[in-house]
């Protein structure tokens, strides 16, 4: 055999062309977790992957957001705490334009109060009424009970709305923005209106 | 046994059972390739695992042009080359461009003298008795051990050119070297392997 005959290339080609070493230590479990990781980042309809995970997370987030939003919305509508003030709407379908909200202080109905007051008190009351506008009738004579803040513990009765019949004839309710109409006042107003009607 | 076509189709759907089946079917062949490029078994195992992961993640790119085994082999070889580039810097390898044949020859002789006590000072490249090589009947493991004694860069070129059948142009692109460098490395690898094989043969026949 000459140097030229010793063909290294041929020797290696023959030896390694179909070389298949049988090894017992090359099990699937060695790369199982790595393949699982690769599969997770690839989209497949049949297996759980990152796209499904993202979908689940997005759905959960949206659902949580909507639920929280709904709960928050409901709590705004129905006061959960008794300390909260109740805002009642005043309904007077025929005299909508005549409704305004007062800002503060009690303005007591003329019928209820003026009879019981002394002359001096009446005068001071009228003066204060001039300074801070109250609920006045269109003629300026009738005054409607004050609209003021009350303790929330009083707000146990069912919701009350003021209807046109409850108001004195040709009365104007002047209501100012940001004021609070509270239930006891309305109740008092209702009571006085009824007693008036009875008297009549 | 599931046919190759079904296996590929199921692997494209990331079916774990099919992937396992494919892995078990082709492990011996792929390991045979990886072991030639790796320094040891553990490294061969790493290259093969990395290669299979690449196969599973890019299997959709296989359009049926050529054999599937050929496509897998190319991935394994590319993985081995990538692995070589990654580990080259970390290894305390000598700069192979500076390694000349004389120094390797001297080094190999010194190592052999230490390991088996045979005096090889009389071995001359030009006067090798190649009958001894024929008589020795070297097996795959002997050839592998001889291959592992030469520098990694030489081994890589030798593997790509002599066994895989790539041209110097392709090799130069794959390894990012000049064609001339590729030829030089191949030549050096051949010389070194001849000597190593001769030494192994003497050792075997002598026993």
């Amino acid at each position: 055999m000459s140097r030229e005959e010793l063909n290294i290339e041929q020797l290696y080609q023959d030896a390694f062309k179909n070389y298949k070493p049988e090894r017992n230590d090359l099990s699937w479990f060695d790369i199982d977790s790595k393949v699982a990781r690769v599969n997770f980042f690839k989209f497949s309809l049949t297996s759980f992957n990152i796209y499904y995970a993202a979908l689940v997370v997005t759905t959960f987030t949206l659902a949580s957001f909507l639920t929280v939003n709904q709960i928050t919305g409901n709590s705004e509508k129905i006061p959960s705490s008794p300390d909260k003030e109740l805002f009642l709407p005043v309904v007077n379908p025929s005299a909508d334009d005549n409704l305004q909200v007062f800002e503060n202080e009690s303005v007591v109905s003329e019928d209820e109060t003026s009879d019981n007051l002394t002359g001096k008190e009446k005068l001071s009351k009228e003066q204060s009424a001039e300074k801070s506008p109250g609920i006045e009738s269109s003629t300026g004579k009738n005054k409607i009970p004050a609209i003021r803040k009350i303790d929330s513990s009083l707000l146990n009765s069912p919701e009350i709305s003021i209807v046109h019949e409850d108001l004195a004839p040709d009365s104007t309710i002047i209501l100012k923005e940001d004021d609070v109409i509270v239930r006891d006042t309305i109740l008092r107003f209702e009571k006085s209106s009824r007693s008036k009607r009875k008297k009549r | 046994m599931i046919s190759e076509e079904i296996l590929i189709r199921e692997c494209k759907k990331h079916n774990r059972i099919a992937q396992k089946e494919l892995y078990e079917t082709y492990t011996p062949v792929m390991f045979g390739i990886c072991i030639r490029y790796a320094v040891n078994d553990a490294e061969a195992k790493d290259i093969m695992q990395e290669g299979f992961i690449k196969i599973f993640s890019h299997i959709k790119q296989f359009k049926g042009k050529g054999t599937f085994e050929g496509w897998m082999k190319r991935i394994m070889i590319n993985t081995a080359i990538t692995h070589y580039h990654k580990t080259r810097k970390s290894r305390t390898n000598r700069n192979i461009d500076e390694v000349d044949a004389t120094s390797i020859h001297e080094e190999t002789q010194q190592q052999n003298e230490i390991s088996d006590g045979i005096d090889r000072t009389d071995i001359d490249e030009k006067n090798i008795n190649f009958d001894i090589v024929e008589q020795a009947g070297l097996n795959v493991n002997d050839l592998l051990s001889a291959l592992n004694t030469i520098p990694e860069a030489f081994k890589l070129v030798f593997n790509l050119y002599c066994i895989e059948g790539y041209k110097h142009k392709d090799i130069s692109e794959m390894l990012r070297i000049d064609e001339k460098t590729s030829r030089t490395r191949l030549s050096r690898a051949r010389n070194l392997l001849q000597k190593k094989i001769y030494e192994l043969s003497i050792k075997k026949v002598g026993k």
Side-chain angles (χ1 to χ4, degrees):
Chain A
M1 194 185 234
S2 70
R3 183 188 170 88
E4 285 71 36
E5 282 172 319
L6 178 66
N7 192 337
I8 293 288
E9 291 169 29
Q10 198 59 49
L11 194 71
Y12 272 89
Q13 269 181 19
D14 293 344
F16 289 103
K17 204 71 186 172
N18 296 308
Y19 179 52
K20 293 177 184 177
E22 289 298 328
R23 300 284 296 264
N24 298 323
D25 58 333
L26 302 171
S27 70
W28 166 253
F29 300 106
D30 293 338
I31 65 160
D32 192 25
S33 59
K34 290 176 187 173
V35 173
R37 205 182 307 140
V38 169
N39 286 353
F40 182 71
F41 288 102
K42 297 274 175 183
F43 179 74
S44 168
L45 283 171
T46 50
S47 60
F48 184 74
N49 52 58
I50 193 164
Y51 299 95
Y52 286 140
L55 190 72
V56 167
V57 170
T58 311
T59 311
F60 181 77
T61 312
L62 268 175
S64 309
F65 177 75
L66 289 172
T67 311
V68 168
N69 215 19
Q70 205 173 359
I71 290 164
T72 317
N74 285 345
S75 67
E76 276 173 10
K77 284 172 190 171
I78 303 158
S80 56
S81 158
D83 298 331
K84 284 190 179 174
E85 292 168 347
L86 181 67
F87 292 80
L88 290 174
V90 175
V91 182
N92 188 351
S94 61
D96 278 351
D97 296 338
N98 297 332
L99 294 176
Q100 283 178 32
V101 180
F102 268 103
E103 190 165 19
N104 54 21
E105 299 308 312
S106 61
V107 178
V108 187
S109 113
E110 204 175 279
D111 297 343
E112 254 186 28
T113 56
S114 57
D115 295 340
N116 303 328
L117 294 171
T118 61
K120 203 178 176 182
E121 281 172 327
K122 264 186 186 177
L123 188 68
S124 66
K125 194 74 197 174
E126 276 170 16
Q127 280 170 352
S128 67
E130 276 169 16
K131 281 176 188 173
S132 62
I135 302 171
E136 294 173 11
S137 69
S138 58
T139 55
K141 286 174 185 175
N142 292 332
K143 285 190 179 176
I144 289 162
I147 294 167
R148 60 188 166 88
K149 293 178 183 180
I150 58 148
D151 185 40
S152 58
S153 59
L154 295 166
L155 308 172
N156 296 325
S157 58
E159 192 174 311
I160 298 159
S161 63
I162 302 167
V163 292
H164 184 70
E165 286 76 29
D166 293 332
L167 296 170
D170 33 286
S171 63
T172 303
I173 302 171
I174 305 156
L175 301 168
K176 272 192 175 177
E177 218 176 47
D178 300 324
D179 208 341
V180 181
I181 300 170
V182 287
R183 196 158 291 183
D184 72 333
T185 312
I186 292 157
L187 281 167
R188 253 192 286 156
F189 172 66
E190 241 191 348
K191 206 177 170 183
S192 67
S193 303
R194 276 174 200 150
S195 62
K196 260 187 202 176
R197 269 180 283 174
K198 276 178 188 174
K199 279 175 188 175
R200 280 175 204 157
Chain B
M1 192 183 161
I2 309 165
S3 76
E4 194 180 83
E5 202 180 320
I6 297 165
L7 262 183
I8 296 165
R9 200 174 58 214
E10 287 303 309
C11 284
K12 282 180 181 176
K13 293 176 189 170
H14 305 289
N15 183 331
R16 294 285 292 280
I17 299 161
Q19 284 175 336
K20 188 185 174 190
E21 183 73 29
L22 189 89
Y23 176 83
E24 284 170 354
T25 309
Y26 290 101
T27 294
V29 183
M30 297 305 144
F31 191 75
I33 293 167
C34 295
I35 196 77
R36 279 192 280 115
Y37 290 89
V39 175
N40 50 43
D41 277 16
E43 197 180 73
K45 212 172 154 182
D46 287 347
I47 294 169
M48 193 186 70
Q49 287 183 358
E50 210 176 311
F52 265 108
I53 288 163
K54 276 185 188 173
I55 287 165
F56 292 137
S57 46
H58 296 97
I59 199 162
K60 281 183 181 174
Q61 290 173 16
F62 177 70
K63 303 290 177 193
K65 288 176 186 173
T67 62
F68 182 63
E69 197 178 311
W71 181 77
M72 286 174 80
K73 277 181 179 176
R74 276 200 302 280
I75 289 181
M76 283 294 167
I77 292 162
N78 286 335
T79 310
I81 292 167
T82 311
H83 190 83
Y84 160 73
H85 285 302
K86 274 185 198 170
T87 54
R88 184 176 57 168
K89 286 172 188 173
S90 61
R91 277 182 193 152
T92 53
N93 232 348
R94 293 165 66 180
N95 185 354
I96 49 98
D97 295 328
E98 291 169 6
V99 177
D100 63 308
T102 318
S103 63
I104 291 168
H105 179 75
E106 285 168 1
E107 199 177 90
T108 315
Q109 268 190 341
Q110 283 169 359
Q111 280 174 355
N112 289 333
E113 280 165 18
I114 295 163
S115 62
D116 56 17
I118 300 168
D119 183 16
R120 288 178 181 80
T121 46
D122 60 333
I123 295 175
D124 183 5
E125 262 185 69
K126 289 168 189 173
N127 299 312
I128 291 174
N129 183 359
F130 290 105
D131 288 334
I132 296 171
V133 178
E134 207 173 24
Q135 280 174 28
L138 299 172
N139 59 27
V140 176
N141 289 334
D142 296 328
L143 294 174
L144 260 179
S145 63
L147 196 63
N148 280 332
T149 58
I150 68 170
E152 223 180 328
F154 294 177
K155 184 169 86 173
L156 210 56
V157 175
F158 182 83
N159 268 323
L160 292 169
Y161 186 87
C162 300
I163 303 168
E164 317 300 351
Y166 285 102
K167 303 291 172 201
H168 282 297
K169 197 188 170 189
D170 302 327
I171 296 167
S172 65
E173 281 169 11
M174 288 161 97
L175 300 178
R176 288 171 264 165
I177 53 168
D178 291 339
E179 266 190 65
K180 199 183 165 186
T181 313
S182 174
R183 285 174 203 279
T184 312
R185 285 184 187 181
L186 179 69
S187 171
R188 286 182 180 181
R190 268 195 198 125
N191 290 336
L192 289 169
L193 276 173
Q194 274 185 350
K195 280 173 205 160
K196 186 67 195 170
I197 284 165
Y198 187 54
E199 285 164 13
L200 277 172
S201 304
I202 291 170
K203 196 178 164 185
K204 267 203 160 182
V205 171
K207 279 179 182 176

